Amino acid sequence: MPGRRFKRKPAKAPKPFAAEAEIVSIGLQGDGTAIVGDRTVHVPFAAPGDVAQLSVTGTKAQLTGLSKESAVRKAPVCRHFGHARDGGPNNEKLGDECGGCALQHLDTDYYNAWKQGLIRQALSREGLSHVEVLPLLSSSPKMRRRAGYSVRWIGGKAQIGFLAKGSHRLVPMAECHVLDPELFALRDDVARLCEPLFRLNPKAWFTCFVTLADSGADVDLGGDVAEEDLDLAAREALTELARAMKLSRLTLNRVPLYVPGPVTVTFAGTPVPLPPKGFLQATKDGEEALQRVVLDGVGEASHVADLFSGSGTFTFAMAKRANVHAVESVPEAIAAINVGRNQAGLKPITTQVRDLFRQPLMPDELKSFEAVVFDPPRAGAEAQVEQLAGSAVPVIVGVSCSPKTFARDAAILTAGGYRLDAVQPVDQFIWSPHIEVAAVFRR
Ligand SMILES: C[S@@+](CC[C@H](N)C(=O)[O-])C[C@H]1O[C@@H](n2cnc3c(N)ncnc32)[C@H](O)[C@@H]1O
């Protein structure tokens, strides 16, 4: 009937119920898994072997107590890890758990083996179970050089923190064992930077992305106030604060507000401009570990392609001994390489802005390279590896932040005749379920 509206009944939220169960494994997101009745439930902060009291809602459960502690449990290093609990030197009560870390409560051997297992599982799903998974190369704590802080206007004040697991609740942080202390110390400054913006929109929500560049902190305030919404007072306040904080750059949704000089990062000794929010490996030691695998892999090759090059993490490391052709879809990243490429001591670097998903390098174009490096986003490099699989390039080095898409791409290359013996895990995102991989394929 025209005009008649049907009201949809709101879906009934499942009622929580109490249960006790043994945690049988750790799932892909780092949560414990347990079987309760006929369902598998996911239990954050649980360890395999725990006999746990649970509050179960649907397929999720909260850990409410432990009848037996797992042998692979250990005390987390951070007071914000896990559920609200006492902590800190004064035993102060803090808010809810920080959603940043999932796995601080597992002993190191178990944790390392679990991360290797993620890669093994992904490889064996693609028929590559013979490939050796090497021991992890792990970043040290307090090495992360970029962070996305959440900032909201609460109680007449800009409050900064990270979000609680699976929620939008802000957790103010008194300590963090992941971030570089210099980055962590900036959080009050970052909150203050948002105050002029909250005056324009107190309901706004910001994710402030902070990167430690060569020249100091580079801050992007990302959120619900656009650059054109700023009045003169807000502009002046922001510039003044940025100057007082000695920021290397301040942008609002990537639009520059304060840029006192060049903002650079240094790759293998070459400084290059960092685009606002431009890609950078999460830790310096992770970056160096990946560069070592890449350099060992390409060996003496004199002409190399660096596909999905970003601003040149691998390009500049390889250009010390080989001609490099860097290809990437983000024009600002290629522009950064173009600025850095004329340094003394580097072999010629050529560049191309190109979408490698839609327009992969074809076998004819690949002919001139003795080695190819590819380091795609999470989606992987399917279209490009299909072309590589049919090429004669003798050495290919794959780097990836997704074991699943890496394994799919690896299977395409091995079906095309490449040999893959081993995969090197690089753990830049310690205590999280993420793991990076790097591997060398040879014909
Ligand atoms: C994981 S990052 C690696 C960057 C660089 N290798 C590094 O280590 O700094 C992936 C890069 O792929 C680029 N990218 C994403 N989609 C792309 C596409 N369709 N074609 C080409 N590059 C793409 C991103 O802009 C990003 O720079």
Side-chain angles (χ1 to χ4, degrees):
M1 250 202 296
R4 184 160 165 193
R5 293 227 174 127
F6 291 95
K7 265 196 182 165
R8 191 175 287 170
K9 270 192 190 168
K12 263 194 187 167
K15 270 198 180 153
F17 65 92
E20 185 178 83
E22 179 167 350
I23 305 299
V24 289
S25 62
I26 301 282
L28 290 178
Q29 301 305 316
D31 295 341
T33 55
I35 309 296
V36 175
D38 58 356
R39 64 182 105 174
T40 301
V41 297
H42 302 278
V43 193
F45 315 120
D50 282 342
V51 178
Q53 281 122 43
L54 304 172
S55 170
V56 180
T57 315
T59 57
K60 293 185 180 163
Q62 275 195 331
L63 190 63
T64 55
L66 286 177
S67 311
K68 188 184 142 219
E69 253 194 31
S70 156
V72 299
R73 250 188 192 279
K74 72 165 192 189
V77 290
C78 180
R79 70 178 88 179
H80 297 291
F81 182 82
H83 267 274
R85 60 197 173 82
D86 296 349
N90 305 318
N91 209 26
E92 61 268 36
K93 281 255 188 209
L94 286 154
D96 260 333
E97 73 276 13
C98 163
C101 289
L103 297 159
Q104 279 190 17
H105 62 305
L106 299 180
D107 85 33
T108 308
D109 287 347
Y110 185 90
Y111 167 89
N112 287 343
W114 179 75
K115 284 210 159 170
Q116 285 176 300
L118 291 179
I119 301 166
R120 269 195 204 102
Q121 274 172 36
L123 288 170
S124 61
R125 271 193 211 111
E126 298 289 346
L128 298 170
S129 44
H130 60 281
V131 175
E132 184 185 2
V133 178
L134 297 169
L136 264 57
L137 295 174
S138 300
S139 288
S140 303
K142 303 196 177 182
M143 285 292 285
R144 195 84 65 81
R145 56 181 166 177
R146 32 193 16 204
Y149 287 110
S150 293
V151 190
R152 293 170 70 189
W153 189 253
I154 302 170
K157 200 172 156 214
Q159 304 270 10
I160 188 161
F162 293 128
L163 298 182
K165 191 171 168 64
S167 119
H168 288 140
R169 277 194 318 274
L170 195 72
V171 182
M173 305 289 293
E175 63 181 289
C176 178
H177 294 257
V178 167
L179 297 187
D180 184 310
E182 189 187 337
L183 182 54
F184 190 59
L186 285 166
R187 62 200 189 288
D188 290 341
D189 280 354
V190 174
R192 268 197 292 144
L193 277 169
C194 293
E195 280 176 10
L197 305 176
F198 284 124
R199 263 181 231 121
L200 300 173
N201 179 5
K203 290 197 174 138
W205 194 316
F206 293 96
T207 303
C208 298
F209 202 75
V210 189
T211 305
L212 293 181
D214 293 342
S215 40
D218 175 25
V219 180
D220 180 69
L221 309 174
D224 306 323
V225 175
E227 192 263 345
E228 58 267 25
D229 298 337
L230 296 182
D231 56 21
L232 187 62
R235 274 175 206 278
E236 285 178 353
L238 284 164
T239 313
E240 203 37 58
L241 284 165
R243 186 176 296 121
M245 292 167 190
K246 297 193 170 56
L247 297 187
S248 68
R249 174 169 56 196
L250 177 65
T251 53
L252 175 61
N253 294 314
R254 299 190 201 202
V255 180
L257 296 178
Y258 173 77
V259 190
V263 182
T264 60
V265 284
T266 297
F267 296 132
T270 303
V272 297
L274 177 69
K277 285 188 83 181
F279 182 86
L280 192 61
Q281 297 293 343
T283 66
K284 190 72 187 165
D285 54 2
E287 174 185 297
E288 287 168 358
L290 291 170
Q291 284 169 338
R292 278 197 302 279
V293 179
V294 166
L295 288 175
D296 286 353
V298 301
E300 299 303 311
S302 62
H303 287 78
V304 183
D306 183 8
L307 307 184
F308 305 92
S309 65
S311 304
T313 302
F314 305 131
T315 306
F316 292 101
M318 295 191 290
K320 288 185 174 172
R321 51 194 206 207
N323 292 30
V324 184
H325 182 56
V327 186
E328 153 72 46
S329 63
V330 173
E332 292 85 348
I334 288 295
I337 297 181
N338 290 342
V339 172
R341 68 182 170 174
N342 294 320
Q343 295 279 322
L346 294 181
K347 301 261 188 190
I349 295 173
T350 52
T351 56
Q352 191 180 15
V353 176
R354 179 158 167 172
D355 182 336
L356 293 166
F357 290 172
R358 290 163 190 264
Q359 259 195 301
L361 262 64
M362 304 304 278
D364 237 25
E365 298 172 277
L366 293 166
K367 261 188 203 149
S368 51
F369 302 114
E370 290 163 22
V372 169
V373 177
F374 71 92
D375 179 16
R378 293 196 81 72
E382 193 170 16
Q384 184 59 73
V385 293
E386 273 167 3
Q387 298 309 322
L388 281 163
S391 80
V393 175
V395 180
I396 297 171
V397 184
V399 178
S400 170
C401 57
S402 163
K404 186 175 168 196
T405 58
F406 170 80
R408 178 203 63 201
D409 293 350
I412 297 171
L413 289 174
T414 52
Y418 282 91
R419 203 183 73 238
L420 171 65
D421 295 328
V423 171
Q424 176 62 66
V426 176
D427 194 14
Q428 301 192 76
F429 296 96
I430 54 168
W431 299 316
S432 84
H434 302 293
I435 185 75
E436 226 120 327
V437 294
V440 183
F441 300 83
R442 291 182 198 279
R443 272 224 192 275

